[in-house]
Amino acid sequence: MATQSLDRVKFLTFDIFGTVMDLTGSLAGPAGEFLATSGSNLSGQAFYAEWRERQRTEQYQDNLLMLGHSGYLETCRRAFVYCLKKHNVSHTADGVREFMQVYMDLQPYPDAVEGLERLGARYKLVALSNGEQWYLEELLGKNVPVGFDAIISVDQVGAFKPSPGIYRKAAQSLQCEPGEIMMVAAHAFDILGAQACGFRGGYVNRYNLPTEDSEYQPDIIVEDFYGLAERLLT
């Protein structure tokens, strides 16, 4: 049962990369092909795990240095190059640029598509993402067969999540109180950032990871979007 305390929630804001879109399934295979072509024996799965962690570091550095917002795709590229250099993988700038086109064909988790379809019957669905506005509109429009009521990019505030500006901007854009929004993400730091700004939190714990060691804890924790729909709609 959805708890009484969540009755005010009217909007669900969704993290996109890793929550709705299957990054590992979409990127590990192409990364492995790139590595093999470059003469590396490293598996795409192992490489992607490092690449993903480095990409988060790139985003945090981008926020902390405050030298101008680089954009999601640029931090992905920087992280990819960093990991190539770490493993002494031969590459060229043109080769990397061509490879990065793989981001235009990210695919969603099947449970996310079904869950979004069900949740849209009761809630307004909002993409709240680190991706560039143009990129989100193109990617979601092409690869996610569910309409979002709004797409909000961190471009609007010039900082990556969990910078508080993006959550506050979302509440402003949606013309509602923060408590009327639930942030849904597969990353606990995103839930923490949203709750610190007054949102409710729905943790889709796809990766079996702990929550943050904080007084802010998700209102609900589920394994996937099937569980999310079950908790919020019954």
Side-chain angles (χ1 to χ4, degrees):
M1 291 284 292
T3 62
Q4 194 71 17
S5 63
L6 298 180
D7 285 350
R8 291 186 65 216
V9 173
K10 300 175 182 177
F11 299 87
L12 301 179
T13 54
F14 295 90
D15 171 67
I16 297 301
F17 303 112
T19 301
V20 173
M21 309 307 286
D22 180 4
L23 294 182
T24 302
S26 300
L27 296 172
E33 294 172 8
F34 184 97
L35 293 167
T37 301
S38 301
S40 173
N41 294 322
L42 188 64
S43 76
Q45 198 83 10
F47 182 87
Y48 178 70
E50 292 188 20
W51 175 17
R52 177 64 168 158
E53 286 301 314
R54 179 63 195 183
Q55 194 252 328
R56 290 200 182 99
T57 298
E58 293 287 343
Q59 290 180 175
Y60 294 146
Q61 289 181 164
D62 199 88
N63 278 3
L64 290 169
L65 292 173
M66 294 188 292
L67 296 176
H69 184 61
S70 299
Y72 177 78
L73 292 172
E74 173 60 12
T75 60
C76 293
R77 185 201 65 80
R78 289 178 184 170
F80 183 65
V81 171
Y82 178 94
C83 291
L84 292 176
K85 290 179 178 179
K86 176 182 176 181
H87 292 284
N88 297 312
V89 177
S90 177
H91 61 280
T92 65
D94 287 343
V96 169
R97 190 177 303 110
E98 181 178 350
F99 172 80
M100 290 298 295
Q101 292 302 309
V102 72
Y103 274 90
M104 303 309 298
D105 198 34
L106 300 180
Q107 297 299 313
Y109 285 104
D111 67 277
V113 173
E114 184 174 333
L116 288 167
E117 289 174 340
R118 293 178 60 192
L119 291 163
R122 178 178 295 182
Y123 300 96
K124 295 292 186 181
L125 308 181
V126 180
L128 184 59
S129 173
N130 281 330
E132 294 86 344
Q133 188 74 33
W134 70 266
Y135 174 49
L136 292 169
E137 292 174 0
E138 183 171 338
L139 180 69
L140 297 177
K142 182 178 71 170
N143 290 354
V144 179
V146 179
F148 286 89
D149 295 285
I151 297 175
I152 302 174
S153 165
V154 299
D155 283 354
Q156 296 186 38
V157 298
F160 292 110
K161 295 184 291 181
S163 178
I166 184 58
Y167 307 107
R168 293 169 181 165
K169 183 66 175 180
Q172 180 188 59
S173 297
L174 298 173
Q175 298 182 336
C176 67
E177 295 296 323
E180 296 178 299
I181 307 173
M182 172 175 278
M183 185 71 213
V184 177
H187 316 298
F189 71 84
D190 203 348
I191 302 296
L192 171 61
Q195 288 187 296
C197 293
F199 286 30
R200 310 312 298 263
Y203 184 28
V204 179
N205 192 7
R206 294 193 180 281
Y207 311 112
N208 193 29
L209 295 173
T211 59
E212 301 293 339
D213 185 7
S214 167
E215 65 272 22
Y216 294 107
Q217 292 296 312
D219 294 287
I220 59 174
I221 301 176
V222 294
E223 294 181 356
D224 53 31
F225 275 65
Y226 300 131
L228 181 68
E230 184 70 19
R231 288 289 298 275
L232 293 178
L233 298 178
T234 58

